[in-house]
Amino acid sequence: MLIVQKFGGTSVGDLDRIANVAKRVARTRDEGHDVIVVVSAMSGETNKLIEYAHFFSKTPQREAMDLLLSSGERVTSALLSIALNEMGYKAVAMTGRQAGIFTDKSYTSARIDRIDPAPMGNAIKEGRIVVVAGFQGIDPDGRVTTLGRGGSDLTAVAIAGAMGADLCEIYTDVDGVYTTDPRIEPKAKKMDQISYDEMLELASLGAKVLQNRSVELAKKMGVNLVTRSSFNDNPGTLITKEENIMEKPLVSGIALDKNQSRVSLKGVEDRPGIASEIFNALAEESVNVDMIVQTIGADGKTEIDFTVPQSEIERVKGVMERFRESIGEIEYKEDVAKVSIVGVGMKSHSGVAAKAFTTMAKENINIEMISTSEIKISMVIDEKYAELAVRALHEAYELDK
Ligand code: ASP
Ligand code: MG
């Protein structure tokens, strides 16, 4: 098999940890696999480099910034390669450019355009372990670019896709993806498998194990992703195509987003164009509107409710001032939470939503807004009850079993 192994900042946080990573890579090699390793900078290193730049300028030149930031990952790739060679393995370190990673010119947040499989492929044919500096590439003018914070995951997934790897393992300091946040529900279980779409829903809702961009790319390229810990031998969580998932649980996980506020517009003029005016005005102020619910109008008036991140509520208030004429009453509730139930199994089963509502009723929690998609049911509730709701739902769907 060809396996891509990516090690994040904490996994390569000091020299002893890099030595441990070398042992793990060596073990994979000993099992007879070809290995491409992608590394992050040692933890804290990228932040330190950014601080250095800010010593001189608040708006550092972006091309220089990318040259600077890319150096963190180069250090770890070279050190890991040195460690592996010392252990008797043939390893070669490569920068993004040497690995044939071509990007656009958006310095500090570049997109990977293509990967030339030849440099890494040739090294593998020679029996080498390839150690690539993550988070970087080269633009059409030959300048170094970086992919945006956390971009090493993206490097690993893109390489796995371009090289046709069988597996892309992302090593971090957590064991994998959990049925809910274990800090809220200690009975949360690590999942063995989950589909790309479920992972995307859970990630955007706060289960931050993997960058969403990386999961999206893995889905697009059909890369089998595994997230696991570099500090133990637990197998981790496989993120793959829905077809590959053997037993499809009704519900896979419960996500919580406490950073939500609700805005209720009552007595809104019920006429074509009103929603367009309101939401365009919000978009112009870069407000991230999430859930939107409009009720059927009566007597020429309607009600529109929506949620926004708590930190953007002041901006929303500013925008809404402009609509005084066309809206009867505006109510803001700053402390609400969004609880979401995610699972591919609900596509083919009835009663999943009813169970969620019954669970809330039993706990005497009022549901303020509801929205659903094919694989998700989201409820907006008072933030006070957020943890209680998560625990009750976790139990109701037997996720602790
Ligand atoms: N070192 C970069 C960062 O801290 C990229 C990464 O670790 O994925 O954002
Ligand atoms: Mg990371």
Side-chain angles (χ1 to χ4, degrees):
M1 289 214 284
L2 172 61
I3 302 180
V4 174
Q5 296 187 318
K6 183 260 169 179
F7 295 91
T10 46
S11 303
V12 294
D14 59 36
L15 300 180
D16 289 326
R17 287 186 175 177
I18 294 176
N20 275 333
V21 166
K23 279 187 209 143
R24 186 179 288 267
V25 172
R27 214 199 310 155
T28 311
R29 180 77 189 144
D30 290 344
E31 285 163 7
H33 304 299
D34 290 324
V35 193
I36 299 173
V37 187
V38 175
V39 284
S40 282
M42 293 160 87
S43 59
E45 204 57 31
T46 308
N47 288 340
K48 195 182 83 187
L49 294 169
I50 292 172
E51 268 174 39
Y52 284 176
H54 288 164
F55 179 83
F56 299 102
S57 165
K58 279 203 194 72
T59 51
Q61 184 203 358
R62 289 166 78 212
E63 288 94 321
M65 209 53 196
D66 273 358
L67 190 61
L68 175 69
L69 296 191
S70 68
S71 68
E73 270 69 9
R74 295 177 182 215
V75 170
T76 24
S77 63
L79 290 175
L80 181 58
S81 166
I82 290 169
L84 283 164
N85 278 289
E86 185 62 23
M87 289 162 71
Y89 294 84
K90 289 200 290 178
V92 55
M94 294 184 181
T95 64
R97 158 190 246 141
Q98 289 169 320
I101 299 172
F102 296 92
T103 74
D104 64 13
K105 298 164 66 125
S106 330
Y107 303 108
T108 70
S109 58
R111 283 172 51 94
I112 298 177
D113 283 335
R114 74 188 166 88
I115 293 180
D116 175 5
M120 285 181 280
N122 291 338
I124 284 170
K125 270 193 219 119
E126 293 164 10
R128 289 180 204 279
I129 297 170
V130 179
V131 187
V132 181
F135 173 60
Q136 58 188 275
I138 197 87
D139 80 353
D141 298 334
R143 289 204 185 90
V144 174
T145 52
T146 62
L147 309 178
R149 297 310 303 272
S152 294
D153 287 356
L154 216 53
T155 305
V157 173
I159 288 178
M163 304 299 291
D166 301 273
L167 207 58
C168 179
E169 297 181 321
I170 309 280
Y171 286 89
T172 62
D173 47 7
V174 290
D175 276 349
V177 186
Y178 279 77
T179 49
T180 197
D181 186 340
R183 286 169 302 185
I184 296 174
E185 173 51 276
K187 285 187 228 150
K189 287 246 165 355
K190 189 194 62 82
M191 302 180 214
D192 295 332
Q193 302 184 322
I194 184 176
S195 69
Y196 297 121
D197 290 326
E198 288 170 306
M199 186 65 224
L200 286 168
E201 293 288 6
L202 289 170
S204 64
L205 296 167
K208 288 193 185 60
V209 198
L210 268 174
Q211 227 195 7
N212 255 12
R213 273 216 291 172
S214 311
V215 181
E216 271 159 15
L217 187 64
K219 179 183 172 186
K220 200 167 124 202
M221 303 185 93
V223 170
N224 289 315
L225 263 184
V226 171
T227 119
R228 54 188 295 188
S229 168
S230 62
F231 300 108
N232 60 46
D233 284 330
N234 298 343
T237 303
L238 171 67
I239 302 151
T240 185
K241 284 200 208 55
E242 197 182 316
E243 300 89 276
N244 295 345
I245 309 241
M246 295 302 164
E247 20 156 338
K248 293 189 179 57
L250 213 53
V251 168
S252 301
I254 314 284
L256 172 64
D257 182 355
K258 293 218 281 189
N259 176 30
Q260 293 265 317
S261 292
R262 176 167 62 81
V263 182
S264 301
L265 312 179
K266 296 185 176 119
V268 181
E269 284 175 12
D270 198 7
R271 59 166 171 84
I274 184 76
S276 151
E277 287 162 30
I278 294 171
F279 291 100
N280 273 312
L282 290 166
E284 273 160 30
E285 295 297 321
S286 307
V287 173
N288 259 304
V289 178
D290 181 18
M291 216 188 265
I292 304 174
V293 173
Q294 182 182 336
T295 48
I296 294 173
D299 307 325
K301 302 282 179 200
T302 187
E303 178 171 340
I304 301 177
D305 294 274
F306 57 94
T307 62
V308 297
Q310 239 157 50
S311 52
E312 295 176 14
I313 193 76
E314 290 309 318
R315 277 211 314 273
V316 175
K317 288 180 183 169
V319 174
M320 295 329 293
E321 272 311 305
R322 293 186 237 154
F323 291 90
R324 274 279 153 230
E325 241 86 289
S326 29
I327 298 171
E329 194 191 324
I330 307 177
E331 187 192 292
Y332 299 96
K333 185 167 175 189
E334 305 201 3
D335 296 324
V336 296
K338 182 173 75 172
V339 183
S340 304
I341 300 151
V342 176
V344 284
M346 65 177 80
K347 280 189 199 173
S348 50
H349 283 79
S350 55
V352 180
K355 185 175 224 159
F357 305 151
T358 307
T359 307
M360 293 300 98
K362 273 192 197 146
E363 301 293 340
N364 227 334
I365 299 172
N366 190 40
I367 307 168
E368 299 179 14
M369 287 168 84
I370 299 169
S371 86
T372 62
S373 76
E374 229 189 351
I375 63 165
K376 185 176 74 169
I377 301 160
S378 295
M379 298 177 284
V380 171
I381 60 172
D382 196 311
E383 196 183 293
K384 283 205 286 289
Y385 305 119
E387 281 83 6
L388 174 64
V390 168
R391 283 193 288 265
L393 291 165
H394 198 265
E395 195 182 337
Y397 294 103
E398 303 187 345
L399 294 177
D400 47 349
K401 296 277 150 63

